[in-house]
Amino acid sequence: MISFICITCGTQFPPSSSPPAHCLICEDERQYIGVNGQEWTSREEMISSNKYKNKIIEEEPNIYSIVPEPSFGIGQRALLIQTPNGNILWDCVSYLDQQTIQYIKEKLGGLSAIAISHPHYYTAMIEWSQEFGNIPVYIHQLDKQSVMRPDKCIEFWNGDTLDLLNGELKLVCTGGHFKGFQVLYWPRRQILFSGDQPQICMDQKQVSFMYSYPNFIPLNARKINHIMKCLQPLDFDRLYASCKMSGIKGVIETKAKEIVEKSAKRYLKAISDDNDD
């Protein structure tokens, strides 16, 4: 029995004797099936190929990015956040080997929990949870139908916000890209971890919001306004995205909230019927 992984999006499926017939994540209009059709791999195959490794980078004190090399799936990265109340993995990646596990346990203090912004980053979350002691994986209830590999470690939650690690971090459900899309907020450090909503643009003084990034499907004004309403109470100066696109570091280092607010106004103007530019 193998837990097959979709090569295009990186999502892992439950153990089976043969690959699934479909990847429902890729067949959704927000994603796509690769040019070679539906292809599968597995954690075991990725490790035995000796092709991949996880590069662990200290972005700033207590924040580490975990980036598979070469890039896999849609280019996801995970962020490990160290707090006095334990460490959390924000978003997830498909590749996990013993070297990564050992480094996190021995050098970074292990993991206490996992939280994931939306289904495009669920990847191998169950494997990560199991390797670190069946730690909880926090996902919003509204995205339950997009979990391709159910497991008892997943803790679905309802509502608008959820405190994690004794209040050190906070999940905020904003909707938009997915109904249960959530961001992670670190009040003490004034940092917002946004997944890819908002996503940092090539001009890193701007961010944007999309229903589908690869298929260029925008969000409507109602959803943008709701996202901004959810973010308004959060006092953040820095913003980390979960994909490092070409030429983009993946972090807005200062004035992030101001940039997000200006970008939202620009976006709303662009999609307005009154925009004559």
Side-chain angles (χ1 to χ4, degrees), residues 28-187:
D28 181 87
E29 63 182 355
R30 282 162 286 205
Q31 191 38 30
Y32 59 91
I33 297 172
V35 294
N36 296 322
Q38 182 63 62
E39 298 179 288
W40 301 96
T41 185
S42 66
R43 178 184 176 192
E44 294 79 10
E45 183 177 340
M46 292 177 74
I47 292 172
S48 64
S49 71
N50 292 316
K51 177 181 178 181
Y52 297 96
K53 67 176 182 178
N54 279 328
K55 187 175 182 179
I56 300 178
I57 306 163
E58 184 178 18
E59 300 288 345
E60 62 177 276
N62 307 118
I63 299 177
Y64 295 81
S65 60
I66 303 171
V67 185
E69 292 187 344
S71 179
F72 184 80
I74 60 173
Q76 300 97 326
R77 72 169 175 177
L79 292 165
L80 188 150
I81 303 160
Q82 296 173 316
T83 86
N85 298 325
N87 298 345
I88 192 166
L89 187 73
W90 171 244
D91 284 332
C92 198
V93 294
S94 304
Y95 187 68
L96 180 61
D97 57 16
Q98 286 302 314
Q99 184 176 357
T100 303
I101 296 165
Q102 184 175 352
Y103 187 89
I104 291 174
K105 288 181 176 180
E106 296 181 0
K107 302 294 186 181
L108 301 182
L111 292 173
S112 299
I114 300 170
I116 303 180
S117 58
H118 70 291
H120 291 156
Y121 298 139
Y122 289 171
T123 62
M125 60 183 178
I126 305 305
E127 300 273 2
W128 280 81
S129 169
Q130 292 173 349
E131 292 288 1
F132 289 93
N134 294 308
I135 57 177
V137 179
Y138 293 97
I139 291 173
H140 200 277
Q141 179 73 24
L142 290 173
D143 283 341
K144 184 175 183 178
Q145 74 284 354
S146 295
V147 173
M148 296 295 104
R149 185 180 177 183
D151 191 87
K152 62 183 180 182
C153 70
I154 301 174
E155 296 198 14
F156 296 104
W157 66 280
N158 283 299
D160 299 326
T161 65
L162 177 70
D163 287 340
L164 299 179
L165 302 180
N166 297 319
E168 183 71 24
L169 298 164
K170 181 188 295 288
L171 286 172
V172 180
C173 181
T174 65
H177 185 40
F178 278 80
K179 288 183 179 180
F181 193 99
Q182 56 189 14
V183 298
L184 183 68
Y185 178 49
W186 196 357

